[in-house]
Amino acid sequence: MGGTVHTPEGPREVDVQIAGGVITAVGNDRAPEDARTVDARGMYVLPGAIDVHVHSRDPGFPQKEDFGTLTAAAAAGGVTTVVDMPNTVPAVDAAGVMESKAALARRQARVDVGLWALLRSGTTSEDLEGLAAAGAIGFKAYLGYAFSLTRKQVHYSPDLDDPDLEAPPDYGTLARLAPVIAELGLPLLIHAEDPGILAAFRRPLETYADLLAARPAEAEAVAVAAAAEIAGASGVRLHVAHLSSAAGLAAAQEAIRAGAPLTLETCPQYLWLCDDDFRRLGNAMKVYPPIRTASDRDALLEGLAKGVIGMVATDHAPHTDEEKAAPFGEAPSGSPGVQTLYVSCLELAKRQGDVWRAPRWVSEAPAALAGLQESKGTIAPGFDADIVIVDPNKATRVRADVMRSRQRHGALDGMEFGFSVRATYLRGSLVSGEGRRAERPSGRIVRPFRR
Ligand code: NCD
Ligand code: ZN
């Protein structure tokens, strides 16, 4: 009680009442005599974030991360739901795999977990229906990423002579399956880098400039335009993951103007950093698609300010600090980020003149994408009591020693944001903060409401 609450009507100095894990009242009604109260005077009371782009690495690479470390980092950062990418091993390409992964996640999850399914070039309509029935939040297509049939693993490989590799999904795959996905009422997600353009510009990576030349912005723009055409024709809701460039944004805007049902996500690393930061950060900022120039960053900031880009997710993609210490060309791409999503977005929104935009980027809009808009993303009666208490007068400095992920050094290392997460509640129970860490996994598997 006593905080400034982000309500659907805007910020209000009201109390939030909770019973049985659900919000029962938002206002100034008198609390029941026996109610336990939390003093939030001077604090912001925000809906828990829903990070729709995380890589748990579990199962497959628990040395990089697992559901325990991922969700501990999430809880510490005010993220109460994570939606996990399907490039774990075995990759999530069938209902049975999804069910085993859900069971594994449930045993360790400190916050709620949703699961994306993988779209392969060999995926059938029956596969999609099975995955939807198993609770898939939607389907992710990694353009240009092949699939190892024996290892059941997604990996970037331009070499398709290997008989073990199934060709990556292409625009034909998207066009074939988009009507089925539309019928199921779920979103189609794309990793938008056109494989033909990546192949044409492939080169050894010695410098950061090599990376930018090898994965140019036009690869993103071409993939966005092509997939948006398919979305327009089929009516499938298309979501572009980790938008990284001015050209990609322009292509998306064009498609939206033409009526394509498109949602756009970018990530804090593309909003805070540019190529110049490589001198300071090194491999910690090696991510795919790459962090580009200052003008790309500024275009993305403007797209976010105008609402063309509606959400921010992290692409939390940890490796081990040892793996990231390899020479630039060999080091794996990816950075942790889930723990700093909320504070970094609050700082951005404040600089844009309206701090209350942040919960829309990280909570409201992602809830709609993931089909969770009936239960999450809003502080209103009937919604899950996933609530974050943020101190607007205490800064967070991003330091390896306070990170809960296995990879402790990330792209935002050294940054300072003028907000800190004081406590995170999942369905009314404290899961992080107030000197406490959630040791008992109380996260659940969430399923989408299908339109
Ligand atoms: C991701 C990973 O490591 O799984 N890496 C990355 O650089 N973002 C893959 C991906 O999201 O494309
Ligand atoms: Zn990713």
Side-chain angles (χ1 to χ4, degrees), residues 58-80:
D58 199 7
F61 308 99
Q63 72 282 10
K64 296 177 193 273
E65 192 80 304
D66 60 32
F67 277 105
T69 51
L70 166 72
T71 56
V79 174
T80 46

Side-chain angles (χ1 to χ4, degrees), residues 297-370:
R297 180 198 59 202
D298 294 346
L300 295 170
L301 284 168
E302 199 189 320
L304 194 63
K306 289 189 174 154
V308 183
I309 300 176
M311 76 187 82
V312 184
T314 63
D315 193 9
H316 176 88
H319 298 279
T320 65
D321 286 314
E322 294 72 36
E323 289 168 322
K324 288 295 278 187
F328 180 61
E330 284 106 74
S333 70
S335 165
V338 72
Q339 195 172 332
T340 45
L341 174 66
Y342 227 138
V343 287
S344 66
C345 283
L346 284 163
E347 181 66 40
L348 271 179
K350 182 178 156 192
R351 292 187 191 191
Q352 292 192 350
D354 180 7
V355 74
W356 305 104
R357 280 182 190 165
R360 285 186 237 134
W361 299 334
V362 303
S363 193
E364 248 171 71
L369 171 70

Side-chain angles (χ1 to χ4, degrees), residues 53 55 85 87 140 142 191 242 288 315-317:
H53 194 153
H55 296 267
M85 286 295 163
N87 64 338
K140 171 87 178 270
Y142 288 89
H191 176 111
H242 48 44
Y288 294 166
D315 193 9
H316 176 88

Side-chain angles (χ1 to χ4, degrees), residues 369-413:
L369 171 70
L372 303 173
Q373 68 277 22
E374 312 261 286
S375 57
K376 296 189 184 291
T378 302
I379 298 185
F383 282 77
D384 285 358
D386 295 350
I387 290 175
V388 183
I389 299 188
V390 165
D391 188 338
N393 296 306
K394 185 169 171 241
T396 296
R397 193 174 174 83
V398 184
R399 289 194 337 246
D401 61 310
V402 295
M403 292 295 128
R404 304 286 316 269
S405 273
R406 294 238 153 83
Q407 184 188 332
R408 290 180 184 262
H409 286 283
L412 300 187
D413 263 20

Side-chain angles (χ1 to χ4, degrees), residues 50-391:
I50 298 165
D51 189 342
V52 294
H53 194 153
V54 304
H55 296 267
S56 68
R57 309 304 193 195
D58 199 7
F61 308 99
Q63 72 282 10
K64 296 177 193 273
E65 192 80 304
D66 60 32
F67 277 105
T69 51
L70 166 72
T71 56
V79 174
T80 46
T81 303
V82 291
V83 190
D84 196 49
M85 286 295 163
N87 64 338
T88 39
V89 185
V92 186
D93 62 353
V97 182
M98 175 159 282
E99 281 153 9
S100 317
K101 186 172 174 179
L104 173 73
R106 207 179 301 116
R107 286 197 291 276
Q108 301 179 54
R110 271 80 173 148
V111 301
D112 284 356
V113 175
L115 301 173
W116 295 112
L118 182 73
L119 199 147
R120 289 167 41 192
S121 60
T123 298
T124 64
S125 314
E126 291 72 40
D127 294 331
L128 298 181
E129 282 153 16
L131 284 158
I137 295 287
F139 300 93
K140 171 87 178 270
Y142 288 89
L143 297 172
Y145 284 65
F147 186 76
S148 163
L149 296 164
T150 55
R151 283 180 289 133
K152 302 274 175 213
Q153 188 176 346
V154 177
H155 69 133
Y156 182 63
S157 167
D159 163 30
L160 289 175
D161 292 337
D162 183 342
D164 180 42
L165 292 181
E166 177 185 81
D170 60 11
Y171 304 120
T173 315
L174 299 188
R176 176 171 64 85
L177 296 174
V180 185
I181 300 173
E183 187 64 30
L184 290 169
L186 295 172
L188 166 64
L189 244 73
I190 54 163
H191 176 111
E193 287 185 290
D194 180 82
I197 293 181
L198 295 193
F201 289 96
R202 205 160 165 248
R203 68 197 60 211
L205 301 181
E206 274 155 27
T207 64
Y208 198 77
D210 293 334
L211 176 63
L212 290 183
R215 307 186 84 103
E218 63 200 282
E220 185 168 81
V222 166
V224 167
E229 196 64 38
I230 292 162
S234 63
V236 77
R237 289 190 283 144
L238 178 70
H239 179 72
V240 180
H242 48 44
L243 194 71
S244 67
S245 68
L249 175 61
Q253 269 179 295
E254 194 60 43
I256 291 167
R257 260 196 297 275
L262 205 58
T263 51
L264 308 179
E265 151 204 318
T266 189
C267 315
Q269 55 273 28
Y270 304 113
L271 296 165
W272 284 105
L273 304 172
C274 69
D275 49 359
D276 291 340
D277 292 298
F278 184 73
R279 266 189 304 254
R280 177 173 62 85
L281 290 162
N283 289 353
M285 67 173 265
K286 183 182 180 188
V287 295
Y288 294 166
I291 293 162
R292 304 180 194 273
T293 64
S295 63
D296 288 295
R297 180 198 59 202
D298 294 346
L300 295 170
L301 284 168
E302 199 189 320
L304 194 63
K306 289 189 174 154
V308 183
I309 300 176
M311 76 187 82
V312 184
T314 63
D315 193 9
H316 176 88
H319 298 279
T320 65
D321 286 314
E322 294 72 36
E323 289 168 322
K324 288 295 278 187
F328 180 61
E330 284 106 74
S333 70
S335 165
V338 72
Q339 195 172 332
T340 45
L341 174 66
Y342 227 138
V343 287
S344 66
C345 283
L346 284 163
E347 181 66 40
L348 271 179
K350 182 178 156 192
R351 292 187 191 191
Q352 292 192 350
D354 180 7
V355 74
W356 305 104
R357 280 182 190 165
R360 285 186 237 134
W361 299 334
V362 303
S363 193
E364 248 171 71
L369 171 70
L372 303 173
Q373 68 277 22
E374 312 261 286
S375 57
K376 296 189 184 291
T378 302
I379 298 185
F383 282 77
D384 285 358
D386 295 350
I387 290 175
V388 183
I389 299 188
V390 165
D391 188 338

